[in-house]
Amino acid sequence: MPEPRELTVTFVPGVTPGKWIHRWKERMPDVALTSQPVLESTQLDAVRAGNADMAFVRLPVDMSGLNVIPLYTELSVVVAPKDHPIAAFEEIAVEELADEYLLADPDDFPAWRDISTEIQAGTRKPLPPLASVEEALDLVEAGLGILILPMSVARHFSRKALRARVVTGVPESGIGLAWLHSDSPLPDGFDAVLEEFIGVVRGRSANSSRQPSVLAKQAEAPKKGAKASRGTGNATAGKGAGKGGGKGGGKGGGPNLRGGGRPGGKARAQKRGRR
């Protein structure tokens, strides 16, 4: 079988794939792994274009034409300037943010949208164009609003002038692994490479029977054992033949030549001798 090509994986901000990459290098040193950070807004572009094999994505995503498995969830936090009242708390309920201006689409946070005083009064100002998390954080730092982010993203873009506190009452954020769906096997048995990486990410051990690399080794083992078994059998047969030739065979092995090779033959021979 041809050598597998390298595995290419992308990941969104907040995902730290280092531990999985390290495990992969230990278990699959013959298959190179390349990782590339991407923006959440374009998290599936490389996979759909065929430029990446798999992608760590922030859920939910459009699953059409994809295989997607959820991996884990994380808490959400509210980010505000360091002198904001939220800085005095370890965590804060979303209801306490009703009077704040959220620098995000309200429909992305229904729990906040439904209690927002500005939305209820019809006085909410249009959301300014935001091309990235960094741009939104610039506005937070300027005191123009707050932001709700997954905890890992807030840590990734942390700033000394900002504070992040756990916010309750909003759904947790999820991370998943996505790759293109195919009804036919991939070239060069690459399906096994993808399955191997899925197992690494899911925490399967290096000896797990669900890993393709382990199954491949197990499939080879019986063939080697069968050859050894055939060789041992021939050798045993040879020893048995030697014993039979010199001593008339062992117990229960081969015909009893002294008795004519028939049941009761020895007894009949003894009777004939007495006649």
Side-chain angles (χ1 to χ4, degrees):
M1 185 179 72
E3 285 294 321
R5 58 185 174 85
E6 70 176 14
L7 177 66
T8 303
V9 180
T10 62
F11 59 95
V12 292
V15 175
T16 52
K19 60 181 179 181
W20 299 312
I21 294 174
H22 179 70
R23 290 175 189 167
W24 181 263
K25 289 180 178 179
E26 287 181 338
R27 300 185 193 181
M28 302 290 288
D30 296 331
V31 182
L33 190 154
T34 301
S35 60
Q36 180 68 39
V38 295
L39 298 175
E40 184 176 338
S41 58
T42 60
Q43 60 183 350
L44 285 170
D45 289 2
V47 167
R48 292 194 184 280
N51 297 323
D53 301 303
M54 310 185 91
F56 289 101
V57 296
R58 192 163 297 280
L59 303 174
V61 296
D62 177 8
M63 298 179 61
S64 58
L66 296 174
N67 293 304
V68 180
I69 55 173
L71 298 176
Y72 61 88
T73 60
E74 58 180 322
L75 296 173
S76 295
V77 298
V78 55
V79 182
K82 65 179 182 179
D83 57 354
H84 192 282
I86 71 160
F89 302 92
E90 291 297 322
E91 65 178 41
I92 189 167
V94 68
E95 290 81 6
E96 299 297 325
L97 306 175
D99 295 334
E100 303 289 341
Y101 183 84
L102 182 65
L103 290 160
D105 185 344
D107 291 336
D108 291 340
F109 300 94
W112 177 86
R113 177 198 62 199
D114 296 342
I115 62 171
S116 169
T117 54
E118 288 186 341
I119 292 179
Q120 291 178 359
T123 59
R124 177 176 167 85
K125 298 177 181 178
L127 187 68
L130 300 170
S132 65
V133 174
E134 292 97 322
E135 288 189 7
L137 290 174
D138 289 340
L139 298 183
V140 173
E141 192 169 344
L144 299 180
I146 62 170
L147 202 57
I148 296 178
L149 296 171
M151 181 179 285
S152 65
V153 176
R155 287 176 176 172
H156 181 78
F157 294 108
S158 63
R159 300 182 183 185
K160 293 182 179 180
L162 301 177
R163 295 292 182 269
R165 296 292 184 265
V166 173
V167 58
T168 61
V170 297
E172 294 183 341
S173 176
I175 293 294
L177 185 64
W179 67 100
L180 288 179
H181 175 75
S182 176
D183 291 325
S184 57
L186 298 178
D188 300 333
F190 202 67
D191 302 78
V193 175
L194 300 183
E195 183 62 32
E196 190 78 25
F197 187 71
I198 293 170
V200 168
V201 172
R202 282 186 157 176
R204 295 177 196 158
S205 71
N207 298 319
S208 171
S209 60
R210 298 184 65 184
Q211 291 296 89
S213 58
V214 174
L215 292 174
K217 292 177 182 178
Q218 292 176 344
E220 293 175 0
K223 296 179 181 179
K224 295 179 180 179
K227 291 180 180 179
S229 176
R230 287 196 295 271
T232 303
N234 292 337
T236 303
K239 291 180 181 179
K243 289 181 180 179
K247 297 183 180 179
K251 294 181 179 180
N256 188 338
L257 299 180
R258 293 178 63 187
R262 293 174 296 173
K266 182 177 180 179
R268 286 192 293 271
Q270 289 175 343
K271 288 180 181 180
R272 285 197 298 271
R274 288 197 297 268
R275 290 175 182 174

